[in-house]
Amino acid sequence: MAAFTGQKIIVVGGSSGIGLGVAKAALENGADVVIVGRSPGKLQAAEQSLDAGRRVRSLAADMAEEADLARLFQEAGTFDHLVSTAGTPPPGDPIERTDMAVVRRFVDNKLIGAVTLAKHAVATLKRGGSMTFTSGINKDRPPVPGGAVVSAIAGSFSFFARALALELAPTRVNIVSPGWVDTPMWDEIVGEAKSGFFAGMAGRLPVGRIATPADIAPAYLYLMESVFTTGETIHIDGGHGLI
């Protein structure tokens, strides 16, 4: 029997990138999946690409709007696992040119959004289930200049999970920390320069290539399935933290 048969998994950020990869892997392992994102059009396209019939549904919600997230969990009903891969392009200017409005939007979407997800998820998340959030390599290898804000936010997730794992026990809370992954967000950040960035980094990584969402999804499945893992940060970065 597949590992997640009879279980419902909510994937916030599931319309593209890592989240879509997690949704696909969860479906392949027997789960029913709810994918969540801001764009109804992207959600519809993702749902069609997953081609899983009644085992997948989509719900639109904005991570920065608490009312949206409260409604999300009311509509989704009781569930077993929450995964959040939702992200937005981070601020990247040197500190002296930092636009504070951009910083606040990033914090609202990434960190405050995660706190709000946890706040409303507990009402319908089954006891002993799990929450898995996403940080990233920038906490370990911040870009210079311009990496201070994203490094601070990414680094905070490990402490958030440790404390929340104690507060919500026996429900488990963990973090996945990927390295560079070939997702649509990179097209937003660097555009046509992406291939050059990726070629340069692939040449430095011990694994010799940039990850795909399918490479990262098993880390999320492991944390959902492993009933003895909580308060942990799993690094899956192709050795990026070593270089």
Side-chain angles (χ1 to χ4, degrees):
M1 183 179 293
F4 298 102
T5 298
Q7 298 187 31
K8 183 192 294 183
I9 300 172
I10 297 177
V11 183
V12 181
S15 64
S16 66
I18 295 174
L20 185 58
V22 172
K24 184 176 187 295
L27 287 164
E28 290 171 349
N29 281 271
D32 294 329
V33 175
V34 179
I35 56 172
V36 181
R38 283 178 295 184
S39 167
K42 288 182 179 180
L43 285 168
Q44 183 179 15
E47 192 172 342
Q48 291 173 348
S49 74
L50 292 169
D51 191 26
R54 294 183 179 180
R55 290 176 49 225
V56 61
R57 64 182 292 205
S58 59
L59 293 173
D62 188 331
M63 283 280 284
E65 298 293 335
E66 183 171 4
D68 274 15
L69 299 185
R71 172 186 50 78
L72 159 66
F73 291 107
Q74 290 172 355
E75 293 185 9
T78 303
F79 68 104
D80 299 274
H81 304 283
L82 170 67
V83 169
S84 177
T85 66
T88 187
D93 289 328
I95 196 66
E96 69 273 12
R97 297 205 303 270
T98 297
D99 184 330
M100 296 310 300
V102 172
V103 171
R104 290 188 179 95
R105 284 196 298 272
F106 181 69
V107 172
D108 280 347
N109 275 281
K110 191 68 177 172
L111 180 57
I112 303 302
V115 174
T116 310
L117 277 174
K119 172 184 175 179
H120 291 283
V122 293
T124 49
L125 175 59
K126 292 180 182 177
R127 179 178 170 84
S130 74
M131 299 183 187
T132 307
F133 298 94
T134 306
S135 64
I137 191 64
N138 283 329
K139 71 184 186 311
D140 307 298
R141 293 289 184 269
V144 179
V149 172
V150 66
S151 178
I153 300 307
S156 70
F157 274 82
S158 294
F159 296 100
F160 175 59
R162 286 166 62 89
L164 202 58
L166 291 173
E167 181 176 342
L168 299 182
T171 295
R172 297 171 295 105
V173 184
N174 293 291
I175 306 297
V176 173
S177 179
W180 288 19
V181 184
D182 190 355
T183 67
M185 187 179 293
W186 274 97
D187 297 304
E188 296 182 50
I189 296 172
V190 296
E192 294 180 358
K194 184 176 82 169
S195 59
F197 273 93
F198 278 11
M201 179 56 71
R204 297 174 59 205
L205 289 175
V207 297
R209 64 179 178 85
I210 300 298
T212 67
D215 293 318
I216 307 303
Y220 293 88
L221 268 60
Y222 165 76
L223 289 173
M224 286 187 278
E225 188 176 8
S226 178
V227 296
F228 216 64
T229 303
T230 192
E232 294 294 335
T233 297
I234 302 296
H235 295 84
I236 181 165
D237 58 21
H240 194 156
L242 303 174
I243 61 176

